[in-house]
Each structure stands twice: as C-alpha cells, then as structure tokens.
C-alpha cells in the first residue's frame, strides 16, 4: 500500500474530478428513486433501470434502460445538467423493406418552454440507411377543439345506375 498525502494539490484535483464524474450518476440514481415511487410505468408493465453513464456523439449523458411491456427495449440518454432528453435508441419495425426490426436513434434538440413544458422542437431520426427530420414551428398545448373535427364524414351515396 502506498501512502496518500491528503494535502497534495494533485490529489485534491484528482478527488474533485472523481466527485465531479460521480455526480451525474448520483443525481440519476436520485431521480431514478423518485421515478420508482411513480407507479404509472409499473401499472402499464414497463420497467426503468439506470444503465449508468452514456455517450452520444462525445456528449456525456446519463443512460436509462426502459423495458417496455411488449418486450421491446429503449435506451434513453439524458443531459446530466438539465435532465432533458438528448437521444433515444430503440428498435422499430421497417415495413418499407423486409418487415424486420431495425435500430433507430432519435436526437432531440432546440428545446423550448411551451405552457410550462420543455419540449424539443427539433427531432432527427436515423434508421437503416434513412434519416428524417421533424422541426416544430408552432406548438399549442390543449388548444380548444370543435367536436365536429372528430365526426365521421357522411358516406356519399353511390350514383344511380
């Protein structure tokens, strides 16, 4: 065993780095414990596990593994400073090609507050050799809607022979 000089400046820097690196995971564990108290996901049959530190294009994240009731799995990457979504990795069905499962990664950015909710306004998806981009320009939460918008249109009568 070697002797550690606790007054050593290099040692203090090393300890500070170690604490700094551990904080996001510690905060994630705290958030996870709070989330475990929320029964909504359990009622639906989903499970959430802390997967530890993650990385999305060299951006450090906190990774959560979500096991859905249907057996599918997702990995959510959260920003350790803001707790906003950075990305999600999941499997999706590719109905355009072979009808098989393919890996998809969605990236979330340009988050804005709308009626007290922080919502990403830019979502980029990569799956297979394809990519898609969704940009939200205007967003309204619970706008008033006319019930007529949900009525089935009348079926036109076929023309007389």
């Amino acid at each position: 065993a070697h002797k550690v000089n606790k007054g050593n400046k290099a040692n203090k820097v090393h300890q500070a780095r170690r604490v700094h690196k551990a904080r996001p995971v510690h905060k994630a564990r705290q958030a996870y414990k709070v989330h475990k108290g929320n029964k909504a996901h359990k009622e639906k049959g989903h499970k959430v596990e802390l997967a530890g530190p993650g990385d999305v294009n060299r951006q450090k994240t906190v990774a959560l593994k979500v096991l859905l009731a249907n057996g599918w799995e997702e990995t959510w990457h959260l920003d350790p400073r803001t707790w906003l979504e950075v990305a999600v990795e999941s499997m999706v069905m590719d109905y355009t090609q072979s009808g098989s499962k393919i890996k998809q990664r969605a990236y979330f950015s340009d988050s804005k507050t709308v009626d007290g909710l922080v919502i990403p306004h830019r979502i980029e998806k990569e799956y297979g050799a394809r990519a898609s981009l969704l940009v939200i320009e205007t967003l309204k939460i619970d706008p008033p809607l006319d019930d007529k918008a949900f009525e089935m249109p009348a079926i036109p009568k076929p023309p007389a022979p």
Side-chain angles (χ1 to χ4, degrees):
H2 66 283
K3 186 176 180 179
V4 176
N5 179 358
K6 293 186 178 184
N8 183 327
K9 184 177 181 180
N11 188 46
K12 286 181 182 177
V13 170
H14 175 70
Q15 287 176 349
R17 283 188 187 144
R18 206 172 67 222
V19 169
H20 178 70
K21 287 180 184 176
R23 278 193 183 133
V25 173
H26 174 69
K27 285 183 180 180
R29 283 193 182 114
Q30 287 175 332
Y32 171 68
K33 286 178 186 175
V34 169
H35 177 71
K36 280 180 73 173
N38 181 347
K39 306 282 188 232
H41 70 285
K42 288 183 181 179
E43 291 170 3
K44 295 177 183 178
H46 308 311
K47 296 179 183 175
V48 179
E49 301 173 358
L50 177 63
D55 181 275
V56 174
N57 299 330
R58 293 190 212 113
Q59 178 182 349
K60 300 296 179 198
T61 65
V62 173
L64 298 176
K65 183 165 68 168
V66 179
L67 304 167
L68 302 173
N70 64 6
W72 290 48
E73 181 179 312
E74 297 178 343
T75 302
W76 283 83
H77 293 271
L78 307 178
D79 183 313
R81 293 178 314 265
T82 64
W83 299 106
L84 294 175
E85 304 94 338
V86 174
V88 62
E89 298 166 353
S90 59
M91 298 298 287
V92 296
M93 291 299 292
D94 181 9
Y95 293 109
T96 63
Q97 300 293 321
S98 63
S100 60
K101 292 181 184 179
I102 60 171
K103 187 175 182 177
Q104 171 184 275
R105 184 178 250 188
Y107 301 93
F108 306 99
S109 60
D110 192 23
S111 293
K112 298 176 185 173
T113 302
V114 179
D115 291 342
L117 301 172
V118 182
I119 300 173
H121 281 60
R122 182 180 176 93
I123 303 170
E124 298 175 67
K125 291 184 178 180
E126 297 173 351
Y127 43 97
R130 295 180 301 278
S132 66
L133 171 64
L134 170 69
V135 177
I136 299 172
E137 294 176 0
T138 306
L139 179 66
K140 293 181 182 179
I141 306 294
D142 292 331
L145 298 173
D146 186 355
D147 288 341
K148 289 183 180 182
F150 299 97
E151 292 178 4
M152 291 295 291
I155 298 173
K157 294 181 181 180

